[in-house]
Amino acid sequence: MQDVKKGQALELSKKLAAYSTALTYDELPAEVVEFTKLCILDYFGSAIAGSGKAPVRMIAELADEMGGKDQARLFTGGKSSVLNAAMVNGAASHIVELDDIHKGSIIHAATVVIPAALAIAEWKRLSGEDLITAVVAGYEVCFRIGEAVSPSHYYYWHNTATCGTFGSAIAAAKLLGLDEEQTIAALGNAGTQAAGLWEFIEDGAMSKQLHTAKASMNGVLAALLAQKGFTGPRKILEGDRGFFKAMSEEYDETRITEGLGQQFKIMENSFKIHASCRHTHHAVDMLIDIFKERKPSLEEIDSVKVESYQVALNITDDADPQTEYAAKFSLQFCSALALLKGSASLADFNEQSLWDEEVRALMKKVEVITEPGIDASYPKKWGAAVEVVFKGGDSVKMATEYPKGDPENAVTAQELYDKFIGMASDFPAEKRERIAKKLVDLEKVQNIEELMDNL
């Protein structure tokens, strides 16, 4: 629907700003509050699990070297400035590949929106209710922008980094109490900083963590500058040299306002239960089911075929991953791992499994292809079909439209609670339970500083 309304003054930023500044906690239905708390709980687990990883430590070391007032706590330890906290905590939650995902916008919102919101909320000693409201607003805005430009934007651009910057700006603006005009400015300057290219996938570079770090930090920066009267472009989305035209071959600007204020898009969010790229989860789900049923040995398996949508292959068609992190983005590796080991958890991705001779041998039997029908349903449905052919000629075929964790194939609150406990396994049991309890009852927290001190 590119250029459908060319020449009309849509002022999309104004409409988004009006929505976010007007939103109050009292307007949130109980189910939205409960779901948002699960998103925040899931973020904490991912950030705790990722805080010790080398790329995150490098970013934290740099933040320490650059200095800053002790305004907000880092998941890597200690305190730093609000900007540094958003940056470090944005990096920490993305690296173990267990953060949430929204199908339509292709955005991992938690990793950019929540660290921005936490940094401001802790600094200003705001409440759990304030944090929940800001997170809802941030998710709403970045999901809508992501939906407007997907899937064409996603080929070169990492939506979480680009569209996510708008979400972090909205969450920060909400917590800073910016008015409508200031929020428009924040969106403008968030958009002009939006960046993050997929080229890192070619050699497994660490840039993906920089993407989320900067998206969170840049949104906070945009909001803080707007608070001081620093202006930004009013039509950063729909302008002739704005986000849509510069960064998408096709876009649908009506997705920005359709149903705005009448629904809560955070409820469309999905959760991950496997520690790999979401584009591998459909196959992993089914191959784990086949493992449970047959527990096949390498010698029994003749071939494995995975049919999916083209974007899944664009990101995960890697027949020879050379690092643990690259393995998370290899559909061949994840498929072989799932079928032989029956799991693709955080503990399953390591140097031993990366070079496991049986996994490597099975990878050579895995064929990944695009299936036109499945491709046509993307990104509304992230589907796949698998066929495992065994020696002797018998085979098993399975198909799914919704990986485990999608709203249509949902995980329970208890499963997410257990997931958090597992991701925070380096903490003593009492500490994990204490943090989880605070997050489950987040609306009762009067000062976010009390929550963050538990780290």
Side-chain angles (χ1 to χ4, degrees):
M1 296 184 66
Q2 185 170 340
D3 291 334
V4 165
K5 298 187 178 181
K6 187 175 181 179
Q8 295 186 26
L10 295 179
E11 295 191 6
L12 298 178
S13 291
K14 181 177 177 63
K15 293 182 179 181
L16 292 174
Y19 160 79
S20 63
T21 53
L23 184 67
T24 66
Y25 178 83
D26 291 340
E27 294 176 53
L28 304 180
E31 63 268 23
V32 173
V33 171
E34 292 303 310
F35 191 86
T36 303
K37 290 190 293 181
L38 291 177
C39 293
I40 298 171
L41 174 71
D42 199 58
Y43 163 81
F44 265 72
S46 286
I48 291 168
S51 62
K53 300 296 184 181
V56 178
R57 286 289 171 182
M58 293 176 195
I59 293 172
E61 287 170 12
L62 179 63
D64 183 60
E65 290 165 5
M66 294 299 99
K69 294 181 179 179
D70 288 350
Q71 296 169 327
R73 192 166 295 279
L74 310 179
F75 276 79
T76 53
K79 285 188 173 184
S80 190
S81 69
V82 165
L83 289 175
N84 282 343
M87 177 178 69
V88 172
N89 296 342
S93 60
H94 198 45
I95 193 166
V96 297
E97 291 298 322
L98 279 163
D99 47 344
D100 63 11
I101 178 71
H102 179 251
K103 296 194 300 289
S105 65
I106 327 177
I107 292 174
H108 303 275
T111 195
V112 290
V113 172
I114 295 176
L118 281 173
I120 298 290
E122 180 182 3
W123 177 38
K124 296 296 185 181
R125 295 192 170 103
L126 301 175
S127 71
E129 290 186 357
D130 295 325
L131 178 65
I132 290 167
T133 310
V135 169
V136 170
Y139 273 55
E140 187 79 24
V141 168
C142 69
F143 284 173
R144 288 177 173 277
I145 294 172
E147 285 182 329
V149 297
S150 294
S152 68
H153 178 78
Y154 191 66
Y155 184 79
Y156 293 108
W157 300 99
H158 185 196
N159 289 23
T160 302
T162 55
C163 307
T165 308
F166 294 99
S168 62
I170 284 291
K174 184 70 180 169
L175 290 165
L176 289 169
L178 301 193
D179 62 25
E180 188 174 306
E181 284 300 306
Q182 290 171 317
T183 303
I184 292 170
L187 285 169
N189 285 319
T192 209
Q193 297 178 87
L197 292 164
W198 272 110
E199 182 61 23
F200 75 86
I201 204 77
E202 298 300 326
D203 54 9
M206 296 178 180
S207 306
K208 194 165 188 270
Q209 277 50 254
L210 184 62
H211 288 183
T212 55
K214 287 301 302 300
S216 187
M217 176 184 179
N218 288 346
V220 172
L221 176 63
L224 289 170
L225 286 171
Q227 189 178 42
K228 294 184 178 298
F230 194 96
T231 60
R234 298 184 64 86
K235 294 186 180 181
I236 192 62
L237 294 173
E238 73 274 25
D240 286 339
R241 285 177 281 192
F243 186 78
F244 290 164
K245 290 183 173 64
M247 299 170 76
S248 274
E249 292 182 4
E250 296 180 52
Y251 56 86
D252 181 358
E253 58 199 23
T254 66
R255 301 304 294 271
I256 301 295
T257 56
E258 183 181 357
L260 182 64
Q262 300 165 12
Q263 61 187 124
F264 294 95
K265 293 191 76 66
I266 195 170
M267 300 298 291
E268 301 171 3
N269 203 35
S270 300
F271 298 99
K272 295 171 71 174
I273 59 171
H274 309 303
S276 57
C277 176
R278 183 63 167 181
H279 298 302
T280 70
H281 284 209
H282 40 34
V284 169
D285 283 345
M286 294 182 285
L287 292 168
I288 288 176
D289 286 343
I290 295 172
F291 169 85
K292 291 176 179 177
E293 179 69 24
R294 297 188 61 142
K295 293 186 172 57
S297 66
L298 173 64
E299 291 72 24
E300 293 177 87
I301 302 167
D302 188 65
S303 66
V304 180
K305 181 165 68 174
V306 180
E307 298 176 310
S308 191
Y309 45 90
Q310 183 59 46
V311 167
L313 272 64
N314 292 346
I315 302 299
T316 65
D317 184 3
D318 182 358
D320 188 24
Q322 295 296 300
T323 67
E324 175 188 332
Y325 195 65
K328 292 171 177 277
F329 289 84
S330 167
L331 188 51
Q332 291 90 335
F333 179 89
C334 293
S335 297
L337 182 71
L339 187 55
L340 283 179
K341 309 297 183 183
S343 177
S345 69
L346 188 56
D348 292 308
F349 289 89
N350 51 52
E351 284 295 311
Q352 182 178 349
S353 65
L354 174 65
W355 302 111
D356 183 288
E357 292 182 2
E358 290 197 342
V359 172
R360 286 280 167 172
L362 183 54
M363 286 172 64
K364 295 176 182 178
K365 302 180 182 182
V366 177
E367 177 188 16
V368 298
I369 61 175
T370 300
E371 199 286 315
I374 296 173
D375 189 52
S377 296
Y378 177 83
K380 185 177 181 180
K381 299 175 181 178
W382 293 30
V386 301
E387 180 181 14
V388 180
V389 178
F390 297 95
K391 301 292 185 183
D394 65 316
S395 65
V396 177
K397 295 181 180 180
M398 299 182 72
T400 186
E401 294 180 327
Y402 302 107
K404 180 71 172 175
D406 277 3
E408 299 86 353
N409 187 12
V411 291
T412 65
Q414 185 62 51
E415 286 176 305
L416 290 175
Y417 188 95
D418 293 342
K419 177 187 172 184
F420 168 82
I421 295 299
M423 287 195 290
S425 60
D426 286 344
F427 284 1
E430 185 275 332
K431 185 174 185 177
R432 282 181 281 170
E433 294 289 349
R434 184 171 68 249
I435 295 171
K437 182 67 166 60
K438 284 278 188 184
L439 293 168
V440 168
D441 294 328
L442 183 59
E443 74 277 19
K444 300 176 183 177
V445 174
Q446 296 303 307
N447 181 350
I448 292 300
E449 189 175 40
E450 300 169 10
L451 169 66
M452 298 304 289
D453 280 347
N454 285 285
L455 296 174

